[in-house]
Structures are given as structure tokens and as C-alpha cells.
Amino acid sequence: MRWFFHKIWLPLYGKWVLRHIQQECSFEYAGLRVQIPPGVFHPGLFFSTTVFIDFLQTIDLEGKMVLDIGTGSGLLAMFAAKKGATSSAVDINPLAVKTAQANAAANNLSIKVIESDLFDQLPKSETFDYLLINPPYFAANPKDKAAHAFFAGENLEYFEKLFRQMPGYIHADSTIWVILSDDCDLEKIQEIAQKNEFLQKTIFEKTKWAKRMLILEYWKES
């Protein structure tokens, strides 16, 4: 069955997705409704955002400072705000920034959204209690802003920059969660993390259509 999903079903699904994302559409999850224009990561057609939200259902975010890195439609940042967090979000794609802002307003939620390549445009003095990271993880260079949602550079340069910058925006009690899947180079990502003195453990797993999604927690070595 796993072979069928990976070799037959997922390629067919991928072709359908590519056609579907050429038009604006809406998606609703966890009591939140978002509009997604072409060029912005669709949280309903890919599994990572909804799996992340399923995990966060039981997490107390009330009063916490939360940063959603790579926000796309804004759904993850909006969910954190709905749970009482002071929610900020960044995305390298200016269309995603506008989309997240519009979706938050439409749902009567307040989130701060900044156009930024990871932490580049964030104030140097700002730290967060929770970092929620839904990263690109395929090893190829993105050809445009929209492709940054999927491709992390030929040598996973996205993760090199992420782990290099992250210490400036966390404190001793910060929690860092990254969602990945079993079809990315997990060993290479762990190697990059360790090089930057971060340790990791898997804290949540969910399989959808034979695709195993993993939420990993990272922390700085003491």
C-alpha cells in the first residue's frame, strides 16, 4: 500500500494540485477560514499545516509570544492568536504577507506579519516563547518567491540560515517546533542542527496517505 501511494497516487495528486493552485480558493480548518490566491502555499492541499494545528490543539498558548516562520496563508499564526497568543509571522513572499494580513482581519484576529527572509527583518531585541516552523525541505533552488515554500536550496541552505540565526530570537525557556516529512533529508537537517549546537527529538507523528509527518522539537545544547 505504501508503494502504491508513493509511486502512483502521490504523483497523480501532485499533478492535480498544480492545476488547482492556479486559481484562488478558500479553505476552512479549526474554525478559521482563509482565502488562498495563486502563488501562496495552500494549507489544505498539503498536509503540514493541518497536522501542526492538530498537534497544537492541546498546547496552552495563552499569553505566549509566538512566531510563525513561513506563514503562507497565515492559518498557523491565526490559530495561535485564537488560542490567546501574541502572534507574529514572517514570510519571504510579499503576496503571502498580504494574504495572511487579510485573512487575519477577515477572522477578527490580530497578528503581526512581516515580509522577511527568516529573521532578517525582525528587531534584534525580540525573543519568542514558541517558534512554529513549517519549512521548505526539498533540496533545490527556488526559482521565484512562491517556490520558497517548497525548496530549501541545493544544499538545504534554508536550514543553515535558520539554525544560525535562531539563537538571537529565543530565550532559555523557548520551545522550537519544526514540521518535516519522511521524504526529506532528515539526516542532513539533523547534521546542520548539530553543527549549530542544536539537539532534536521527535515529539509528534501523523501519517496521511502513507506520508509520515513529524514534528521535531529543537533546543540549544547547554
Side-chain angles (χ1 to χ4, degrees), residues 2 47-48 50-52 54-56 178-182 186 200-208 210-217:
R2 183 177 176 84
F47 308 130
S48 53
T50 54
V51 170
F52 217 145
D54 291 345
F55 165 71
L56 290 174
V178 180
I179 188 163
L180 299 169
S181 80
D182 61 358
L186 293 168
Q200 72 175 47
K201 63 179 178 181
T202 300
I203 59 169
F204 186 78
E205 296 187 25
K206 190 168 187 177
T207 299
K208 301 193 74 169
K211 187 181 181 76
R212 188 163 58 101
M213 305 301 301
L214 312 167
I215 294 179
L216 285 79
E217 183 170 308

Side-chain angles (χ1 to χ4, degrees), residues 132-186:
L132 313 178
I133 307 170
N134 186 1
Y137 49 67
F138 295 116
N141 289 324
K143 296 181 179 179
D144 53 38
K145 291 290 188 182
H148 279 274
F150 301 96
F151 302 110
E154 286 187 2
N155 296 299
L156 301 182
E157 287 87 353
Y158 172 95
F159 291 96
E160 295 278 4
K161 185 172 183 176
L162 173 69
F163 287 110
R164 185 175 68 250
Q165 288 188 325
M166 204 153 45
Y169 298 89
I170 57 176
H171 52 74
D173 297 319
S174 295
T175 301
I176 304 161
W177 288 322
V178 180
I179 188 163
L180 299 169
S181 80
D182 61 358
D183 59 355
C184 71
D185 193 341
L186 293 168

Side-chain angles (χ1 to χ4, degrees), residues 36-54:
I36 309 106
V40 173
F41 183 84
H42 194 306
L45 298 178
F46 305 97
F47 308 130
S48 53
T49 304
T50 54
V51 170
F52 217 145
I53 287 176
D54 291 345

Side-chain angles (χ1 to χ4, degrees), residues 18-135:
L18 288 175
R19 288 196 299 269
H20 192 73
I21 61 177
Q22 300 307 310
Q23 57 188 353
E24 181 161 347
C25 50
S26 61
F27 177 68
E28 187 170 348
Y29 199 77
L32 299 167
R33 187 175 182 84
V34 293
Q35 291 293 127
I36 309 106
V40 173
F41 183 84
H42 194 306
L45 298 178
F46 305 97
F47 308 130
S48 53
T49 304
T50 54
V51 170
F52 217 145
I53 287 176
D54 291 345
F55 165 71
L56 290 174
Q57 292 282 2
T58 61
I59 305 298
D60 182 11
L61 298 178
E62 182 72 34
K64 301 298 184 181
M65 300 290 292
V66 174
L67 177 64
D68 173 19
I69 298 178
T71 194
S73 67
L75 187 56
L76 201 56
M78 289 161 53
F79 182 76
K82 185 180 177 181
K83 294 200 71 175
T86 299
S87 190
S88 300
V90 296
D91 203 294
I92 195 173
N93 184 353
L95 179 58
V97 171
K98 293 178 181 178
T99 299
Q101 290 169 334
N103 283 329
N107 285 269
N108 297 310
L109 292 168
S110 176
I111 64 173
K112 180 173 71 173
V113 192
I114 299 172
E115 182 183 338
S116 181
D117 182 354
L118 291 173
F119 300 91
D120 284 357
Q121 302 305 317
L122 290 180
K124 298 296 184 183
S125 60
E126 195 164 11
T127 60
F128 299 90
D129 301 310
Y130 287 91
L131 270 61
L132 313 178
I133 307 170
N134 186 1

